Structure formats: C-alpha cells, structure tokens
PDB file of all heavy atoms in Angstrom:
ATOM      1  N   ALA J  12       3.403  14.807   3.876  1.00 67.00           N
ATOM      2  CA  ALA J  12       4.501  13.884   4.211  1.00 67.00           C
ATOM      3  C   ALA J  12       4.272  13.116   5.507  1.00 67.00           C
ATOM      4  O   ALA J  12       5.199  12.521   6.041  1.00 67.00           O
ATOM      5  CB  ALA J  12       5.831  14.609   4.274  1.00 67.00           C
ATOM      6  N   SER J  13       3.023  13.083   6.029  1.00 75.00           N
ATOM      7  CA  SER J  13       2.737  12.257   7.199  1.00 75.00           C
ATOM      8  C   SER J  13       2.803  10.787   6.818  1.00 75.00           C
ATOM      9  O   SER J  13       2.386  10.401   5.719  1.00 75.00           O
ATOM     10  CB  SER J  13       1.344  12.580   7.750  1.00 75.00           C
ATOM     11  OG  SER J  13       1.278  13.910   8.197  1.00 75.00           O
ATOM     12  N   PRO J  14       3.320   9.920   7.682  1.00 75.00           N
ATOM     13  CA  PRO J  14       3.383   8.491   7.350  1.00 75.00           C
ATOM     14  C   PRO J  14       2.005   7.935   7.020  1.00 75.00           C
ATOM     15  O   PRO J  14       1.019   8.258   7.684  1.00 75.00           O
ATOM     16  CB  PRO J  14       3.947   7.860   8.633  1.00 75.00           C
ATOM     17  CG  PRO J  14       4.675   8.970   9.318  1.00 75.00           C
ATOM     18  CD  PRO J  14       3.917  10.212   9.005  1.00 75.00           C
ATOM     19  N   ALA J  15       1.930   7.154   5.963  1.00 81.00           N
ATOM     20  CA  ALA J  15       0.671   6.535   5.540  1.00 81.00           C
ATOM     21  C   ALA J  15       0.405   5.317   6.418  1.00 81.00           C
ATOM     22  O   ALA J  15       1.212   4.379   6.451  1.00 81.00           O
ATOM     23  CB  ALA J  15       0.729   6.129   4.078  1.00 81.00           C
ATOM     24  N   ARG J  16      -0.746   5.326   7.132  1.00 80.00           N
ATOM     25  CA  ARG J  16      -1.061   4.284   8.094  1.00 80.00           C
ATOM     26  C   ARG J  16      -2.344   3.554   7.712  1.00 80.00           C
ATOM     27  O   ARG J  16      -3.257   4.135   7.125  1.00 80.00           O
ATOM     28  CB  ARG J  16      -1.226   4.881   9.494  1.00 80.00           C
ATOM     29  CG  ARG J  16       0.061   5.430  10.088  1.00 80.00           C
ATOM     30  CD  ARG J  16       0.986   4.311  10.500  1.00 80.00           C
ATOM     31  NE  ARG J  16       2.241   4.801  11.072  1.00 80.00           N
ATOM     32  CZ  ARG J  16       3.193   4.000  11.521  1.00 80.00           C
ATOM     33  NH1 ARG J  16       3.017   2.691  11.476  1.00 80.00           N
ATOM     34  NH2 ARG J  16       4.314   4.484  11.993  1.00 80.00           N
ATOM     35  N   CYS J  17      -2.379   2.272   8.080  1.00 80.00           N
ATOM     36  CA  CYS J  17      -3.567   1.449   7.850  1.00 80.00           C
ATOM     37  C   CYS J  17      -4.681   1.919   8.779  1.00 80.00           C
ATOM     38  O   CYS J  17      -4.467   2.127   9.981  1.00 80.00           O
ATOM     39  CB  CYS J  17      -3.228  -0.019   8.098  1.00 80.00           C
ATOM     40  SG  CYS J  17      -4.649  -1.138   8.047  1.00 80.00           S
ATOM     41  N   ARG J  18      -5.912   2.072   8.240  1.00 78.00           N
ATOM     42  CA  ARG J  18      -7.030   2.536   9.062  1.00 78.00           C
ATOM     43  C   ARG J  18      -7.547   1.447  10.000  1.00 78.00           C
ATOM     44  O   ARG J  18      -8.335   1.714  10.893  1.00 78.00           O
ATOM     45  CB  ARG J  18      -8.169   3.031   8.158  1.00 78.00           C
ATOM     46  CG  ARG J  18      -8.840   1.960   7.346  1.00 78.00           C
ATOM     47  CD  ARG J  18      -9.862   2.541   6.392  1.00 78.00           C
ATOM     48  NE  ARG J  18      -9.204   3.174   5.260  1.00 78.00           N
ATOM     49  CZ  ARG J  18      -9.867   3.848   4.317  1.00 78.00           C
ATOM     50  NH1 ARG J  18     -11.170   4.019   4.410  1.00 78.00           N
ATOM     51  NH2 ARG J  18      -9.224   4.363   3.288  1.00 78.00           N
ATOM     52  N   HIS J  19      -7.101   0.197   9.810  1.00 75.00           N
ATOM     53  CA  HIS J  19      -7.571  -0.909  10.645  1.00 75.00           C
ATOM     54  C   HIS J  19      -6.640  -1.176  11.835  1.00 75.00           C
ATOM     55  O   HIS J  19      -7.098  -1.345  12.964  1.00 75.00           O
ATOM     56  CB  HIS J  19      -7.720  -2.175   9.803  1.00 75.00           C
ATOM     57  CG  HIS J  19      -8.741  -2.047   8.712  1.00 75.00           C
ATOM     58  ND1 HIS J  19     -10.093  -2.152   8.932  1.00 75.00           N
ATOM     59  CD2 HIS J  19      -8.593  -1.794   7.379  1.00 75.00           C
ATOM     60  CE1 HIS J  19     -10.746  -1.993   7.790  1.00 75.00           C
ATOM     61  NE2 HIS J  19      -9.857  -1.774   6.831  1.00 75.00           N
ATOM     62  N   CYS J  20      -5.329  -1.253  11.579  1.00 73.00           N
ATOM     63  CA  CYS J  20      -4.398  -1.622  12.643  1.00 73.00           C
ATOM     64  C   CYS J  20      -3.317  -0.586  12.882  1.00 73.00           C
ATOM     65  O   CYS J  20      -2.438  -0.787  13.719  1.00 73.00           O
ATOM     66  CB  CYS J  20      -3.742  -2.973  12.335  1.00 73.00           C
ATOM     67  SG  CYS J  20      -2.558  -2.910  10.963  1.00 73.00           S
ATOM     68  N   ASN J  21      -3.344   0.525  12.107  1.00 72.00           N
ATOM     69  CA  ASN J  21      -2.363   1.596  12.218  1.00 72.00           C
ATOM     70  C   ASN J  21      -0.966   1.169  11.790  1.00 72.00           C
ATOM     71  O   ASN J  21       0.029   1.804  12.126  1.00 72.00           O
ATOM     72  CB  ASN J  21      -2.310   2.153  13.642  1.00 72.00           C
ATOM     73  CG  ASN J  21      -1.740   3.574  13.682  1.00 72.00           C
ATOM     74  OD1 ASN J  21      -2.044   4.380  12.800  1.00 72.00           O
ATOM     75  ND2 ASN J  21      -0.915   3.878  14.660  1.00 72.00           N
ATOM     76  N   GLY J  22      -0.876   0.068  11.041  1.00 72.00           N
ATOM     77  CA  GLY J  22       0.416  -0.368  10.514  1.00 72.00           C
ATOM     78  C   GLY J  22       0.849   0.472   9.326  1.00 72.00           C
ATOM     79  O   GLY J  22       0.047   1.212   8.740  1.00 72.00           O
ATOM     80  N   PRO J  23       2.110   0.419   8.928  1.00 76.00           N
ATOM     81  CA  PRO J  23       2.604   1.216   7.797  1.00 76.00           C
ATOM     82  C   PRO J  23       2.099   0.660   6.467  1.00 76.00           C
ATOM     83  O   PRO J  23       2.043  -0.551   6.262  1.00 76.00           O
ATOM     84  CB  PRO J  23       4.115   1.073   7.910  1.00 76.00           C
ATOM     85  CG  PRO J  23       4.324  -0.241   8.598  1.00 76.00           C
ATOM     86  CD  PRO J  23       3.172  -0.402   9.548  1.00 76.00           C
ATOM     87  N   LEU J  24       1.722   1.558   5.571  1.00 77.00           N
ATOM     88  CA  LEU J  24       1.309   1.168   4.232  1.00 77.00           C
ATOM     89  C   LEU J  24       2.517   1.114   3.313  1.00 77.00           C
ATOM     90  O   LEU J  24       3.412   1.949   3.395  1.00 77.00           O
ATOM     91  CB  LEU J  24       0.275   2.144   3.667  1.00 77.00           C
ATOM     92  CG  LEU J  24      -1.096   2.177   4.331  1.00 77.00           C
ATOM     93  CD1 LEU J  24      -1.997   3.180   3.605  1.00 77.00           C
ATOM     94  CD2 LEU J  24      -1.739   0.798   4.348  1.00 77.00           C
ATOM     95  N   GLY J  25       2.514   0.127   2.434  1.00 74.00           N
ATOM     96  CA  GLY J  25       3.557  -0.005   1.427  1.00 74.00           C
ATOM     97  C   GLY J  25       2.960  -0.542   0.159  1.00 74.00           C
ATOM     98  O   GLY J  25       1.774  -0.874   0.087  1.00 74.00           O
ATOM     99  N   LEU J  26       3.787  -0.634  -0.871  1.00 73.00           N
ATOM    100  CA  LEU J  26       3.335  -1.210  -2.129  1.00 73.00           C
ATOM    101  C   LEU J  26       4.038  -2.540  -2.330  1.00 73.00           C
ATOM    102  O   LEU J  26       5.266  -2.609  -2.245  1.00 73.00           O
ATOM    103  CB  LEU J  26       3.625  -0.269  -3.294  1.00 73.00           C
ATOM    104  CG  LEU J  26       2.800   1.017  -3.273  1.00 73.00           C
ATOM    105  CD1 LEU J  26       3.274   1.959  -4.359  1.00 73.00           C
ATOM    106  CD2 LEU J  26       1.327   0.704  -3.460  1.00 73.00           C
ATOM    107  N   PRO J  27       3.282  -3.615  -2.578  1.00 69.00           N
ATOM    108  CA  PRO J  27       3.883  -4.946  -2.663  1.00 69.00           C
ATOM    109  C   PRO J  27       4.737  -5.113  -3.892  1.00 69.00           C
ATOM    110  O   PRO J  27       4.758  -4.271  -4.791  1.00 69.00           O
ATOM    111  CB  PRO J  27       2.665  -5.879  -2.696  1.00 69.00           C
ATOM    112  CG  PRO J  27       1.574  -5.033  -3.250  1.00 69.00           C
ATOM    113  CD  PRO J  27       1.831  -3.633  -2.776  1.00 69.00           C
ATOM    114  N   SER J  28       5.447  -6.234  -3.909  1.00 59.00           N
ATOM    115  CA  SER J  28       6.339  -6.536  -5.019  1.00 59.00           C
ATOM    116  C   SER J  28       5.544  -6.828  -6.285  1.00 59.00           C
ATOM    117  O   SER J  28       4.329  -6.970  -6.268  1.00 59.00           O
ATOM    118  CB  SER J  28       7.223  -7.738  -4.686  1.00 59.00           C
ATOM    119  OG  SER J  28       8.007  -7.448  -3.558  1.00 59.00           O
ATOM    120  N   ALA J  29       6.257  -6.946  -7.371  1.00 51.00           N
ATOM    121  CA  ALA J  29       5.634  -7.151  -8.668  1.00 51.00           C
ATOM    122  C   ALA J  29       4.722  -8.359  -8.668  1.00 51.00           C
ATOM    123  O   ALA J  29       5.035  -9.403  -8.121  1.00 51.00           O
ATOM    124  CB  ALA J  29       6.712  -7.313  -9.745  1.00 51.00           C
ATOM    125  N   GLY J  30       3.559  -8.183  -9.285  1.00 45.00           N
ATOM    126  CA  GLY J  30       2.635  -9.292  -9.428  1.00 45.00           C
ATOM    127  C   GLY J  30       1.648  -9.422  -8.313  1.00 45.00           C
ATOM    128  O   GLY J  30       0.673 -10.162  -8.407  1.00 45.00           O
ATOM    129  N   ALA J  31       1.850  -8.706  -7.178  1.00 43.00           N
ATOM    130  CA  ALA J  31       0.946  -8.834  -6.048  1.00 43.00           C
ATOM    131  C   ALA J  31      -0.200  -7.841  -6.141  1.00 43.00           C
ATOM    132  O   ALA J  31      -1.354  -8.192  -6.104  1.00 43.00           O
ATOM    133  CB  ALA J  31       1.705  -8.654  -4.735  1.00 43.00           C
ATOM    134  N   SER J  32       0.102  -6.559  -6.259  1.00 40.00           N
ATOM    135  CA  SER J  32      -0.938  -5.543  -6.362  1.00 40.00           C
ATOM    136  C   SER J  32      -0.491  -4.475  -7.335  1.00 40.00           C
ATOM    137  O   SER J  32      -0.464  -3.296  -7.021  1.00 40.00           O
ATOM    138  CB  SER J  32      -1.237  -4.929  -4.988  1.00 40.00           C
ATOM    139  OG  SER J  32      -1.798  -5.868  -4.131  1.00 40.00           O
ATOM    140  N   ARG J  33      -0.134  -4.860  -8.543  1.00 42.00           N
ATOM    141  CA  ARG J  33       0.359  -3.923  -9.523  1.00 42.00           C
ATOM    142  C   ARG J  33      -0.567  -3.889 -10.714  1.00 42.00           C
ATOM    143  O   ARG J  33      -1.121  -4.909 -11.136  1.00 42.00           O
ATOM    144  CB  ARG J  33       1.765  -4.359  -9.999  1.00 42.00           C
ATOM    145  CG  ARG J  33       2.795  -4.366  -8.893  1.00 42.00           C
ATOM    146  CD  ARG J  33       3.506  -3.062  -8.789  1.00 42.00           C
ATOM    147  NE  ARG J  33       4.097  -2.746 -10.080  1.00 42.00           N
ATOM    148  CZ  ARG J  33       5.233  -3.296 -10.519  1.00 42.00           C
ATOM    149  NH1 ARG J  33       5.874  -4.160  -9.789  1.00 42.00           N
ATOM    150  NH2 ARG J  33       5.718  -2.956 -11.691  1.00 42.00           N
ATOM    151  N   ASP J  34      -0.748  -2.722 -11.288  1.00 40.00           N
ATOM    152  CA  ASP J  34      -1.546  -2.554 -12.497  1.00 40.00           C
ATOM    153  C   ASP J  34      -0.608  -2.702 -13.683  1.00 40.00           C
ATOM    154  O   ASP J  34       0.114  -1.779 -14.050  1.00 40.00           O
ATOM    155  CB  ASP J  34      -2.213  -1.171 -12.490  1.00 40.00           C
ATOM    156  CG  ASP J  34      -3.120  -0.950 -13.707  1.00 40.00           C
ATOM    157  OD1 ASP J  34      -3.048  -1.776 -14.631  1.00 40.00           O
ATOM    158  OD2 ASP J  34      -3.869   0.052 -13.705  1.00 40.00           O
ATOM    159  N   GLU J  35      -0.591  -3.898 -14.282  1.00 37.00           N
ATOM    160  CA  GLU J  35       0.387  -4.192 -15.325  1.00 37.00           C
ATOM    161  C   GLU J  35       0.161  -3.339 -16.578  1.00 37.00           C
ATOM    162  O   GLU J  35       1.069  -3.093 -17.348  1.00 37.00           O
ATOM    163  CB  GLU J  35       0.331  -5.673 -15.699  1.00 37.00           C
ATOM    164  CG  GLU J  35       0.632  -6.609 -14.523  1.00 37.00           C
ATOM    165  CD  GLU J  35       2.033  -6.448 -13.995  1.00 37.00           C
ATOM    166  OE1 GLU J  35       2.883  -5.895 -14.689  1.00 37.00           O
ATOM    167  OE2 GLU J  35       2.280  -6.881 -12.850  1.00 37.00           O
ATOM    168  N   SER J  36      -1.073  -2.903 -16.817  1.00 35.00           N
ATOM    169  CA  SER J  36      -1.354  -2.132 -18.013  1.00 35.00           C
ATOM    170  C   SER J  36      -0.720  -0.748 -17.977  1.00 35.00           C
ATOM    171  O   SER J  36      -0.328  -0.190 -18.984  1.00 35.00           O
ATOM    172  CB  SER J  36      -2.869  -1.995 -18.212  1.00 35.00           C
ATOM    173  OG  SER J  36      -3.435  -1.269 -17.125  1.00 35.00           O
ATOM    174  N   THR J  37      -0.644  -0.167 -16.784  1.00 35.00           N
ATOM    175  CA  THR J  37      -0.058   1.165 -16.644  1.00 35.00           C
ATOM    176  C   THR J  37       1.358   1.117 -16.096  1.00 35.00           C
ATOM    177  O   THR J  37       2.031   2.133 -16.044  1.00 35.00           O
ATOM    178  CB  THR J  37      -0.925   2.029 -15.712  1.00 35.00           C
ATOM    179  OG1 THR J  37      -0.955   1.420 -14.435  1.00 35.00           O
ATOM    180  CG2 THR J  37      -2.332   2.171 -16.247  1.00 35.00           C
TER     181      THR J  37
END
C-alpha cells in the first residue's frame, strides 16, 4: 500500500482517462 511514484520525478502514478492508455481488448 505504499504510494506508487514515478521513478523519474517522484510524482504520483495514476491511470489516464479512457482512450489514453487503456487496453480496449481487455
């Protein structure tokens, strides 16, 4: 449960909105 951080800038990781980085098949 540790916050997921970017390895480059230490910013928070999230999942983008539909159509940006989604696997439509699954």
Side-chain angles (χ1 to χ4, degrees):
S13 297
R16 293 287 180 179
C17 173
R18 67 185 75 185
H19 298 281
C20 71
N21 203 39
L24 292 182
L26 292 173
S28 299
S32 294
R33 298 269 304 281
D34 183 349
E35 300 297 342
S36 63
T37 61

